[in-house]
Amino acid sequence: SGEGGAALALSLLHPFEKVVAVEPSQGLHDASFERLSSLRDNPDSSASLQAPVELLCGTAPDTAWTGADVVLANCARFSDAVILDMAERAQDLAPGALLVSVSRRIPSPSLSLVDLRRLPTPWGDDDTSVYIQQRVSDDSNADRPRAPYP
């Protein structure tokens, strides 16, 4: 989640049922909450949230993905164990749901790679990989091997 920019952008751009952002750092979580509050509390703002936003302090494995249309994860600092846990959690997504991960691909036979982009980052001089994966139906992934580990 970082400072909540991606979650707020999603909420501003599309009427999802709910946007949930998870950030393990208390400081960044607090900053994202301040951003959300200032957007909600500013009567002069022309921006209006189209979806409710829930900001959680924790890690991606702490949250349920059931019912999510889109899951965003900046995986740059995630351990291998967290990445593998995310691969298991991908099975909880409904077919058609998207998982967008930054820095690392989630290696799951439940996910099909839709797109891979190299994008500039605000935190460094290097570009980073952004993987867009889609949950496939259980029938269509029965014979698929696990994706190569990132």
Side-chain angles (χ1 to χ4, degrees):
S1 168
E3 293 182 357
L8 293 177
L10 282 173
S11 179
L12 289 166
L13 295 173
H14 188 79
F16 291 107
E17 187 174 318
K18 177 171 62 170
V19 175
V20 178
V22 183
E23 172 56 49
S25 162
Q26 185 67 52
L28 289 174
H29 170 74
D30 292 346
S32 66
F33 190 80
E34 287 177 23
R35 279 180 114 176
L36 175 60
S37 295
S38 68
L39 185 62
R40 283 182 179 155
D41 298 342
N42 184 352
D44 298 327
S45 174
S46 62
S48 62
L49 299 176
Q50 296 188 49
V53 177
E54 182 178 353
L55 302 172
L56 304 174
C57 189
T59 62
D62 294 337
T63 60
W65 292 5
T66 306
D69 294 314
V70 179
V71 174
L72 298 173
N74 184 343
C75 302
R77 294 185 172 181
F78 288 177
S79 68
D80 292 348
V82 169
I83 296 294
L84 290 174
D85 186 65
M86 291 175 69
E88 293 299 318
R89 284 178 174 272
Q91 296 176 19
D92 295 338
L93 295 170
L98 296 174
L99 193 154
V100 180
S101 59
V102 177
S103 299
R104 298 177 71 177
R105 182 177 178 182
I106 307 305
S108 172
S110 299
L111 298 170
S112 174
L113 183 65
V114 174
D115 201 359
L116 168 61
R117 300 286 173 111
R118 296 281 303 162
L119 299 174
T121 63
W123 58 82
D125 296 331
D126 296 332
D127 290 349
T128 191
S129 297
V130 177
Y131 299 90
I132 302 172
Q133 296 174 271
Q134 188 170 38
R135 175 67 162 94
V136 294
S137 69
D138 291 330
D139 293 339
S140 67
N141 68 18
D143 297 324
R144 297 177 78 183
R146 181 180 288 268
Y149 193 70

